[in-house]
Amino acid sequence: MSATAPTNTNSDIESAGKPAVPCVFVLFGAAGDLTKRKLVPALFNLVKAKLLPDSFAVIGVSVDDLSPEAFRDQVSEFLPPDAGHVAWLRQRLFYERGDFGNPNTFTMLRERLARIDIERQTEGNYLFYLATAPKFFAPIVQQLGKAGLLKQDDAHWRRVVIEKPFGHDLDSAKVLNRDIKSVLQENQIYRIDHYLGKETVQNIMVFRFDNAIFEPIWNRRYIDHVQITNAETVGVERRGAYFDNAGTLRDMVPNHVMQLLSLTAMESPVSFHADAVRNEQAKVLHSLQPLNSEDVLQRSVRGQYGEGMLGEETVPRYRSEPGVAPESRTETFVALKLNIDNWRWAGVPFYLRTGKRLAKRHTEIAIQFKRMPVELFRSAPVRKLHRNTLVIQIQPVEGISLSFGAKVPGPLLRVGSVDMSFEYSKYFGADAYTGYEVLLYDCMMGDATLFQRADMVEAGWSVVDPVLDVWKALPPRKFPNYASGTWGPAEADQLMELDDRQWRKIEP
């Protein structure tokens, strides 16, 4: 059963929004793939939605030797054929070649910004986006500070967007927070996670707190457990050298997975202002039960993909990927069992799994409800074993489904499981978005609700650090331990089976 499409569409909703204030979007690492594939297309979509002001400009900063026109051509590569909107954006694209470690780069940038403020009437509002390697985060912020580009007052604002990973463990995250906060105020820092730009992720709060039928049962009395799955079919692609020093645990769990967990488990905020929402998320992360060494051995699973089949294609093992060490011990799959020590969730386990080269690209949050205490229909033939499960699907299809038991038509009493589902694309229309649109717009509007705060980042690393320590002390005995195109190592299934549970089957 699926929702019927009404007449309202995304464009109807967007037209009610007001354009961002005049500003300059300064993009460090402007020659990279993130700029071409995600950021500039996101800006293009904001242009179409009439959410960017006329007094707007983009300055790309990179070490690449590009002319302004070559930069415009390069970043326009992935834009759709829409002459009017493309031309509008291209007129506002500028380029500055420079080394991130050279103070002269920031002196030239300051002079360029001053000219653009006059030419484009951008009013001295600057949004600096760090689409660079993590080693440049603190140096760029400190150079911007020395150049006087981060001073803000009532007349203009200055903000910095920082991509993940934010540190590689708890200590490095604390150091990075300390270094950038020596120059910036917390309200100037936007730690971005593109997952939070997806409609379904944002809708978790609306779904929970604007529907009286769900919030009363969102607790340990009715919920048996929660599963969060983030599965990718891709390998490490061109990120082998980076990924082999990071691994899936560092790359995905402290940010993406912890954000999904905290939004699922948080209490109702007093308002939807940024700090009110983030206060409740932080409480959840600080309530996660610490893992000691024995817990890590019992409640964590790591894996590394081997050769296998994805569709009709044979794909290589992780250790054969470019940039990866031949005997690498880096994990490409992680499964964890976590518990939250508060009244709402006491005794309700949260099972998390994320990995590469899995059977299907799929991200979801599955809320598994408890069985009825008395099974009235235990003697009735069951066509399909049913459990009440609420599934919030995040990618590639964004939607929500609810499964429940129903009588199978016919003269006999037979019970089957049916699904009632809703998909965003069918209900609101299927516009092509990158996931960055709402995040960039929020940065320009000064709304930090969907961005991590310093204490949230450090709380996420506090969960991950004990696992990293044990895994470092006890190298994996058998890698690779799952074939590409499967759902991960057998130990991940055993993690659930020990609790008499199993992972929700995700259909191909």
Side-chain angles (χ1 to χ4, degrees):
M1 184 184 300
S2 58
T4 302
T7 56
N8 57 315
T9 66
N10 280 341
S11 57
D12 296 326
I13 298 169
E14 288 165 350
S15 63
K18 62 179 181 179
V21 299
C23 62
V24 183
F25 182 59
V26 183
L27 182 51
F28 290 93
D33 276 356
L34 180 64
T35 298
K36 293 183 289 186
R37 294 178 180 274
K38 299 293 184 180
L39 299 180
V40 171
L43 292 174
F44 172 82
N45 288 333
L46 291 175
V47 174
K48 286 181 62 180
K50 299 181 181 179
L51 293 176
L52 290 184
D54 285 333
S55 301
F56 177 77
V58 178
I59 300 179
V61 184
S62 176
V63 295
D64 292 43
D65 190 9
L66 297 172
S67 67
E69 196 61 28
F71 173 65
R72 295 183 183 109
D73 291 342
Q74 187 181 88
V75 299
S76 301
E77 180 183 353
F78 292 93
L79 298 183
D82 184 330
H85 293 115
V86 171
W88 188 97
L89 186 57
R90 283 178 65 98
Q91 290 170 3
R92 289 162 174 80
L93 293 175
F94 303 91
Y95 186 75
E96 193 75 44
R97 181 181 181 275
D99 186 330
F100 302 151
N102 188 341
N104 290 334
T105 298
F106 298 85
T107 301
M108 291 188 295
L109 177 61
R110 182 180 61 207
E111 294 169 356
R112 173 62 74 92
L113 283 167
R115 292 197 300 271
I116 289 178
D117 278 338
I118 296 171
E119 295 167 6
R120 295 287 172 178
Q121 300 179 328
T122 47
E123 300 181 6
N125 297 320
Y126 306 149
L127 179 63
F128 300 98
Y129 196 111
L130 276 52
T132 68
K135 66 181 180 180
F136 294 118
F137 292 167
I140 289 174
V141 170
Q142 289 167 351
Q143 291 281 13
L144 287 169
K146 290 176 182 177
L149 289 171
L150 296 179
K151 295 178 182 178
Q152 61 178 7
D153 53 38
D154 292 340
H156 59 260
W157 51 258
R158 309 286 165 85
R159 298 170 189 146
V160 177
V161 184
I162 300 179
E163 274 281 349
K164 77 173 187 72
F166 197 92
H168 61 270
D169 58 16
L170 179 58
D171 287 341
S172 61
K174 287 181 175 179
V175 169
L176 182 54
N177 273 327
R178 182 195 66 203
D179 289 347
I180 65 175
K181 291 176 76 171
S182 67
V183 184
L184 292 164
Q185 299 297 315
E186 178 63 39
N187 64 11
Q188 293 179 274
I189 306 167
Y190 289 70
R191 301 170 186 83
I192 196 167
D193 182 345
H194 72 274
Y195 266 52
L196 273 293
K198 294 187 176 295
E199 292 290 347
T200 315
V201 174
Q202 299 170 66
N203 197 44
I204 293 172
M205 289 188 289
V206 177
F207 180 80
R208 284 190 55 195
F209 303 127
D210 197 45
N211 291 291
I213 61 174
F214 291 112
E215 183 57 21
I217 60 173
W218 209 264
N219 56 57
R220 68 181 187 274
R221 182 176 178 184
Y222 299 99
I223 294 175
D224 179 77
H225 70 276
V226 177
Q227 299 179 23
I228 299 177
T229 296
N230 174 252
E232 299 178 294
T233 55
V234 297
V236 294
E237 298 179 299
R238 289 174 287 182
R239 300 169 67 229
Y242 157 75
F243 188 88
D244 206 38
N245 289 311
T248 291
L249 182 63
R250 285 187 173 99
D251 195 43
M252 296 298 293
V253 176
N255 36 70
H256 292 335
V257 176
M258 286 297 139
Q259 288 283 70
L260 297 180
L261 183 150
S262 61
L263 286 169
T264 303
M266 65 186 280
E267 298 294 329
S268 174
V270 295
S271 73
F272 279 106
H273 293 147
D275 276 334
V277 173
R278 297 191 296 180
N279 285 343
E280 297 304 330
Q281 288 184 268
K283 287 178 186 177
V284 171
L285 297 175
H286 287 296
S287 297
L288 284 167
Q289 195 176 87
L291 297 174
N292 58 37
S293 299
E294 187 62 30
D295 291 332
V296 172
L297 296 175
Q298 299 296 324
R299 301 182 189 178
S300 72
V301 173
R302 54 181 157 170
Q304 186 187 92
Y305 64 80
E307 185 179 344
M309 296 291 296
L310 276 171
E312 302 297 320
E313 180 186 2
T314 300
V315 294
R317 62 179 184 167
Y318 173 73
R319 291 175 175 177
S320 298
E321 299 277 17
V324 174
E327 300 298 323
S328 174
R329 295 172 174 174
T330 301
E331 80 287 345
T332 61
F333 176 95
V334 173
L336 295 171
K337 175 186 174 183
L338 299 178
N339 293 96
I340 300 174
D341 283 337
N342 63 24
W343 281 35
R344 182 185 290 266
W345 297 109
V348 179
F350 281 67
Y351 298 96
L352 322 174
R353 61 173 172 172
T354 178
K356 294 186 175 296
R357 289 290 190 216
L358 298 182
K360 183 181 179 181
R361 177 175 174 260
H362 190 85
T363 300
E364 70 171 33
I365 302 166
I367 312 296
Q368 181 67 70
F369 291 95
K370 292 182 178 180
R371 292 188 184 277
M372 293 298 292
V374 177
E375 296 188 38
L376 294 177
F377 305 106
R378 65 170 64 91
S379 59
V382 177
R383 186 177 70 176
K384 180 181 177 183
L385 186 64
H386 113 256
R387 297 284 296 272
N388 295 130
T389 307
L390 177 70
V391 180
I392 301 171
Q393 301 171 45
I394 297 167
Q395 71 174 11
V397 175
E398 297 184 71
I400 299 171
S401 66
L402 177 66
S403 66
F404 54 91
K407 179 186 176 296
V408 178
L412 300 177
L413 177 59
R414 294 185 297 155
V415 178
S417 181
V418 297
D419 291 331
M420 183 167 58
S421 64
F422 148 74
E423 292 181 15
Y424 273 87
S425 61
K426 293 181 179 178
Y427 197 83
F428 292 113
D431 289 330
Y433 290 122
T434 69
Y436 279 86
E437 288 83 0
V438 68
L439 299 174
L440 295 180
Y441 178 72
D442 283 355
C443 289
M444 296 174 198
M445 298 298 286
D447 184 350
T449 305
L450 297 176
F451 299 84
Q452 286 188 299
R453 213 166 49 189
D455 57 333
M456 296 167 65
V457 171
E458 293 176 13
W461 278 116
S462 295
V463 175
V464 167
D465 255 23
V467 183
L468 289 171
D469 291 342
V470 172
W471 286 2
K472 183 178 180 180
L474 297 174
R477 287 175 290 181
K478 183 185 176 184
F479 266 8
N481 61 351
Y482 70 96
S484 294
T486 66
W487 282 105
E491 291 85 352
D493 294 327
Q494 294 165 11
L495 178 71
M496 298 284 282
E497 290 166 0
L498 288 172
D499 296 335
D500 197 26
R501 298 183 176 103
Q502 57 184 293
W503 295 105
R504 194 183 86 87
K505 186 176 180 181
I506 297 171
E507 301 295 338

